[in-house]
Amino acid sequence: MKNKKVKKLVLNKAFIVNIILGVIICSLIALLFILNQPPKKEEFKNPYDIRVSDKDNFVLLGDSITDWYPVEEFFDDLPVVNSGIAGYHTIDILNNLKEMVWIYNPTKVFILIGTNDIGAGVEKKEVVSNIKKIIKEIKNLRPQAKIYLQSIYPVNNTDDEKIDKDAVKSRDNKVIQDVNKSLKAYCQDSNVTYIDVYHELLDQEGNLKLKYTTDGLHMSNLGYLRVTKTLLPYFQD
């Protein structure tokens, strides 16, 4: 009789332990599921109350950094057209402006181009000259459109394991700064708004901040978030 009671007590304890273990395992599975969920869209909501008219149409023009910009995530309910094409140089933009800009009849055009030229060793003067030609042609195609020129973004070519040397190539922040300086001076004399995104993306060593990039050149989600916060005030100026 005593053995039966002991056996029953042991079984009850084992049952309780199994229930507790089951609850713990389910809780851990639920926690892992929550932690692995992608960021909710509301986490990337615009930090400004942007109000635009129903006649506005904004074009983002550029290369892969623009092409891979998740505009649906960051420009919620704003009339933004992504007209970036991966791999494009300044000359490619210049030769395809009708297809990339004119057909969208934009009220504002945001340009980001030149890093691929620098990566390919194109002379700084030629990069600046081509960007000037792009702006001049946009003014001819859409004289009423406001033009905004973003500074070329910095790169990170350190030895961090995150960096892809094949992606960064020979890009150098000193060269990028020289080109940006010339572009800024041009904008001041040409009724074009220059947007200094370059300094918004730097770390303390003067490189593209690691959390803002996927490979030393292209933007991470946090990088695009930083860029978006920099650009948004110009959407309603």
Side-chain angles (χ1 to χ4, degrees):
M1 190 71 174
K2 186 177 179 181
N3 289 338
K4 288 184 178 180
K5 288 183 178 180
V6 171
K7 187 175 181 181
K8 185 176 182 182
L9 182 60
V10 171
L11 289 174
N12 287 339
K13 287 183 177 180
F15 179 72
I16 293 171
V17 169
N18 286 333
I19 290 177
I20 293 173
L21 287 174
V23 170
I24 293 173
I25 292 171
C26 289
S27 298
L28 288 173
I29 292 173
L31 180 60
L32 288 172
F33 177 78
I34 292 171
L35 291 176
N36 286 315
Q37 290 301 296
K40 293 181 180 179
K41 191 171 183 179
E42 54 262 33
E43 292 179 17
F44 300 106
K45 275 188 176 179
N46 297 337
Y48 306 95
D49 182 19
I50 302 298
R51 300 179 185 277
V52 298
S53 75
D54 56 4
K55 296 180 181 179
D56 275 319
N57 190 33
F58 308 140
V59 167
L60 301 182
L61 179 66
D63 48 43
S64 60
I65 297 176
T66 299
D67 191 6
W68 300 344
Y69 202 145
V71 294
E72 298 84 2
E73 288 285 334
F74 293 102
F75 297 103
D76 189 27
D77 297 327
L78 290 174
V80 178
V81 174
N82 189 327
S83 194
I85 298 181
Y88 262 29
H89 293 63
T90 53
I91 192 65
D92 300 309
I93 297 286
L94 190 58
N95 290 335
N96 293 279
L97 279 173
K98 287 189 176 181
E99 293 79 9
M100 299 180 76
V101 176
W102 180 80
I103 60 172
Y104 299 113
N105 193 25
T107 55
K108 293 182 179 181
V109 181
F110 293 81
I111 305 169
L112 174 63
I113 195 65
T115 191
N116 288 335
D117 295 66
I118 293 172
V122 177
E123 290 291 328
K124 291 182 285 187
K125 288 184 178 180
E126 184 176 348
V127 179
V128 174
S129 175
N130 283 348
I131 292 175
K132 289 179 180 179
K133 291 175 183 177
I134 289 169
I135 292 171
K136 182 178 180 180
E137 187 62 19
I138 292 174
K139 286 183 175 182
N140 290 333
L141 290 170
R142 290 297 177 204
Q144 302 305 316
K146 290 185 178 181
I147 300 175
Y148 300 81
L149 180 62
Q150 297 183 62
S151 59
I152 299 172
Y153 297 176
V155 296
N156 188 316
N157 202 17
T158 63
D159 293 327
D160 188 273
E161 61 182 9
K162 191 177 189 179
I163 304 306
D164 182 351
K165 298 288 185 176
D166 291 333
V168 181
K169 294 184 178 178
S170 61
R171 293 174 179 84
D172 177 81
N173 283 331
K174 178 62 172 65
V175 174
I176 293 173
Q177 288 182 75
D178 290 343
V179 173
N180 283 340
K181 184 177 180 180
S182 297
L183 294 175
K184 183 177 181 180
Y186 165 74
C187 288
Q188 290 173 342
D189 298 328
S190 305
N191 194 29
V192 174
T193 300
Y194 178 82
I195 306 177
D196 183 8
V197 184
Y198 181 93
H199 287 94
E200 297 292 332
L201 301 174
L202 293 178
D203 62 16
Q204 292 182 344
E205 285 72 43
N207 296 306
L208 174 59
K209 192 173 291 189
L210 285 172
K211 71 176 183 179
Y212 289 160
T213 183
T214 58
D215 55 10
L217 171 64
H218 299 99
M219 296 292 102
S220 64
N221 263 4
L222 284 175
Y224 280 120
L225 180 60
R226 179 69 260 172
V227 170
T228 303
K229 288 181 177 179
T230 305
L231 296 183
L232 278 173
Y234 298 94
F235 276 40
Q236 63 179 9
D237 68 350

